[in-house]
Amino acid sequence: MAMKRREFLRDTAVAAGAFTLGFVIPGKVRAGAGEGAVSSAPFTPNAFIRITPDNQVTIILAKSEMGQSVYTSLPLIVAEELDADWQAIRVEQSKVDPAYNWPAFQMMITGGSTSVRTSWEALRQAGATARAMLLAAAAAAWGAPAARLVTADATITDPETGRSATFGEMAAAAAQQAVPADVTLKSPDRFRLVGKDQKRLDSELKVTGRATFGLDVAAPGLHYAVVARSPVFGGVLQSFDASRAEAMPGVVKVKQVPTGVAVIADSTWRAIKARDALDLTWDEQGNGGVDTDQMLQHYRELAGQPGFAVQEQGDFEAVAAQADQVIDATYEVPFLAHACMEPLNCTVHDRGASGGEGAEVRVGTQMQTADRAMAAGILGYEPEAVDLHTQFLGGGFGRRAAAWSDYVAEAAHVAKGEPWPVKTTWTREDDTRGGQYRPMTLHRSRLALDAGGRPLAWHNRVVGQSIDGFKMLGMEPENFDNAMIEGLKTQPYTVPLVNLEAHMTTSAVTTLWWRSVGHTHTAFMKETLFDEAAHAAGVDPMDYRLGLLEAHPRFVALLKKVREMSGWGRELPAGTGLGVAIEESFGSIVAEVAQVRVKGQKISVEKVWCAADVGFAVNPLGLREQMESGIIFGLSAALYGEITLKKGRVEQGNFNNYRVVRIDDAPAIEVEIIDSGAAMGGAGEPGTPPIFPAVGNAIFAASGKRLRSLPFRLS
Amino acid sequence: MPLNLTVNGQQHTVDVEPDTPLLWVLRDTLGLTGTKFGCGIAQCGACTVHVEGKTVRSCRTPVSAVGNRAVTTIEGLSADGLTHVQKAWIEEDVVQCGYCQSGQVMAAAALLAANPKPSDADIDKAMRRNICRCGVYQRIRKAVHRAAELAAADSTAGGA
Ligand code: FES
Ligand code: FES
């Protein structure tokens, strides 16, 4: 079916003998991989393969590698259908081109845990079509029926004659073959690579220090910049005196940019030192009083007032009046910074400023198309005149899909009109205080239970800011933002009546998607609330959930799996408890059990068991790793993460006061995968949401203390 | 002020302020970008290098304090091929984004040089100075044990 809507192109722009396939949906058609090949046509190609006569198979990666392993899992899919030699695959990062757009937004984006599931079909077809053309070429050359030929490890063999040729030897002839109208994909039982544990292809680069992250970009004449930004959100520069800074060693230039004052020097350190010597006066635009304690107080007041009705299934108050008991609980989560290991940075060379053409941008980004357009607009070029090179990302977690391309835009302003490339680096403090946070959010939930403890009606009122990134994508929320209620409309528990209300607030603090987005708080609220309900009903929390999931066999299977893995119900030492949680997010369902020990005020997470159902795991090893990573990422926020503001200033700055989990407080994690065969879901984010409530519920089991705000504190 | 520095066995003369952190001399002056900037305040370990075989956070080490002691960075960790630590890291599929990993590898190499058979507790104690935002900690633990095994097997095979 899919093939009928699409067609393959042969790329004439590559060197003779190289065989390149661009996989496209028709529209105005063009070759995709060639130098300077750019089109404005609205089509949606998915992948490229390049096979050279030396039998090098290169797979072009159109997604950003930020730890989630697309550098391995996407080429794996192509290699499977192509029957390439997996050990000899080369991966090349794509350029910015409509050919690589994510259809949903007509731009290149790596996010939403979508890379594998949205590329799967197209990458398989790309591989299978290339293989079919190689076979056709060999069949013609040997006078043998193509159906008789077999492929493995980038080699074609005729079992009857014993003749064989490498893909490279057949590359030139394959490029002359007609593109088949239809290809047969492998049946899953014939997969040799997919569905089996595959180690990463980028390990050696990364253990030898040879991987080039954005911050490692080198270029002749490279200059280094840091920017002094407003100490409060939304502040504007009133005046500045750079005379002391300009006199410091190595300082090349001090200039005003929209976000503040940039110091450009011959090394990062000299730029940082000179920035300290700037004299700056800011107009705080009335934001010098922003205070998260006061904001939270305001949220609590709003929680007592009716909000916008997002979903209304009936008269909650009437049901509650008849209920046996009503749980009324408020859950609160703070602003969170992403704190990617690699601080934000971007290198820009305005080549046009010194007689060249256009510009070059080298950056770790999750959003190439938008970033390039932004840089081009600032520099005064067409987007196509800006070469954007995606580097390895030292973490993304959503921060590098930045609202209004903040760090790329700023770097473009810094480098605009300069004859040399400039690398603008954010220090850790700049990065922590730079905003684009997970929004501070409050949920007030009421759950009415019958005499048996089963839910009759649920009323949830959420208070919080919307996510700026949605506005950038043109999804201007009016009364609520989907992230505020993420997952709640489709929550799986049997509840006859669910009403959802929202108060969407505003503040000067900027907000963004943070690994698993709204699920970071909706799952915390829901899974803590239903744990409270289980205890109110006097039922074991695992059994209570199972009893409300009759219509959801995938959830049931996962809960039973973690029940078994964790030895749920076993005797535990005093002060130790188990907590369970389950959440569907990004098309996947993940259940987790945490074992927590509470001693005085100290919370130790000793072990986590995780069962994940993503439909089908393309690379089970990579999936287990993403679960481990998502759990530790969430745990950092559950135990420590909190951005607070006083007098408009962010109080945290670095890892000393924005703490994260270290190896000595990292639990052992066991992950099991259930391949249910359901539609494929994501991997990068779904491991994160359940860990917040699983730990909170375990704290309750261990200590009898119900903690309803994050980070968890027993004081 | 020109300063002499020995990095990965090579002599360099660098013209920087004496209080410049070794990190920025390595990265911006010598172009050795394998050593990473993560925090700048000795909190994360991304900048870990060896000075005379001992781990040092280069972001908080003024270049003038190094003197003529030998500095080893990730680029100079092995003269030929991969070290046991690097091999074990690949075997155990430790890395994710990889940004912290130069520092992790340098820290693990120093740990194993001092303690060829570390316990989990030894590993946690030595490696707690290195943050990984991707959270690959349990794989690091496993890989340190694996590197210890590889080293032991090698020294046995070598008749040591
Ligand atoms: S950069 Fe030196 S310890 Fe973080
Ligand atoms: S691998 Fe990403 S920070 Fe460690």
Side-chain angles (χ1 to χ4, degrees), chain B residues 51-124:
Chain B
V51 174
E52 300 284 331
K54 294 242 160 30
T55 57
V56 154
R57 278 102 172 315
S58 62
C59 70
R60 282 298 224 194
T61 306
V63 64
S64 56
V66 177
N68 51 19
R69 292 180 296 159
V71 177
T72 306
T73 70
I74 187 78
E75 291 91 346
L77 186 60
S78 162
D80 60 320
L82 297 168
T83 61
H84 295 126
V85 171
Q86 289 163 322
K87 282 184 196 154
W89 247 239
I90 293 169
E91 265 186 47
E92 298 297 340
D93 218 41
V94 171
V95 314
Q96 290 198 12
C97 84
Y99 194 78
C100 72
Q101 297 297 342
S102 297
Q104 306 279 6
V105 166
M106 295 306 281
L111 163 65
L112 287 167
N115 179 357
K117 217 173 172 300
S119 65
D120 273 348
D122 296 336
I123 295 170
D124 279 10

Side-chain angles (χ1 to χ4, degrees), chain A residues 282-300:
Chain A
W282 297 95
D283 174 351
E284 297 186 350
Q285 298 279 306
N287 295 328
V290 176
D291 179 311
T292 39
D293 282 346
Q294 286 174 16
M295 282 173 76
L296 188 57
Q297 209 42 57
H298 177 56
Y299 282 21
R300 288 172 183 159

Side-chain angles (χ1 to χ4, degrees), chain A residues 67 199-200 206-207 215-216 268 270 273 338-339 428 625 628-629 633 654 661-664 666 669, chain B residues 17 19 21 27-28 36 38-39 43 86 91 93 95-97 99 128 133-134 137-139 141:
Chain A
K199 289 182 185 171
R200 306 177 62 104
K206 289 174 174 178
V207 298
L215 209 55
D216 304 333
T268 315
R270 282 173 160 175
K273 292 283 277 190
H338 302 70
R428 174 58 56 193
E625 290 167 353
E628 294 164 14
S629 173
F633 197 79
N654 209 316
V661 164
R662 293 173 183 270
I663 195 169
D664 58 344
I669 301 168
Chain B
E17 287 72 64
D19 67 344
R27 289 182 54 84
D28 293 353
K36 306 302 183 194
C39 69
Q43 281 286 320
Q86 289 163 322
E91 265 186 47
D93 218 41
V95 314
Q96 290 198 12
C97 84
Y99 194 78
R128 77 170 309 283
R133 277 298 273 158
C134 298
Y137 297 121
Q138 77 175 10
R139 287 179 190 272
R141 261 183 226 128

Side-chain angles (χ1 to χ4, degrees), chain A residues 212-252:
Chain A
T212 305
F213 296 88
L215 209 55
D216 304 333
V217 163
L222 182 65
H223 283 54
Y224 304 83
V226 291
V227 176
R229 302 179 188 87
S230 171
V232 305
F233 286 97
V236 293
L237 189 70
Q238 214 165 45
S239 63
F240 73 104
D241 177 356
S243 48
R244 277 198 306 140
E246 279 165 348
M248 291 183 63
V251 175
V252 176

Side-chain angles (χ1 to χ4, degrees), chain A residues 514-530:
Chain A
W514 185 102
R515 196 175 195 169
S516 79
V517 199
H519 295 280
T520 56
H521 51 83
T522 55
F524 171 55
M525 175 276 292
K526 168 176 67 73
E527 288 298 296
T528 313
L529 179 69
F530 279 78

Side-chain angles (χ1 to χ4, degrees), chain A residues 597-662:
Chain A
R597 189 158 57 99
V598 172
K599 203 171 164 211
Q601 317 252 305
K602 186 158 169 49
I603 299 164
S604 308
V605 181
E606 298 182 321
K607 177 107 196 224
V608 176
W609 296 269
C610 167
D613 175 359
V614 304
F616 172 66
V618 166
N619 178 3
L621 175 61
L623 176 61
R624 293 197 301 278
E625 290 167 353
Q626 280 315 292
M627 291 300 126
E628 294 164 14
S629 173
I631 287 167
I632 299 291
F633 197 79
L635 197 55
S636 284
L639 297 179
Y640 310 117
E642 179 174 43
I643 291 285
T644 55
L645 284 87
K646 277 267 173 309
K647 294 196 165 57
R649 273 101 180 134
V650 174
E651 294 187 289
Q652 296 73 24
N654 209 316
F655 292 120
N656 55 340
N657 50 22
Y658 190 72
R659 279 183 67 186
V660 298
V661 164
R662 293 173 183 270

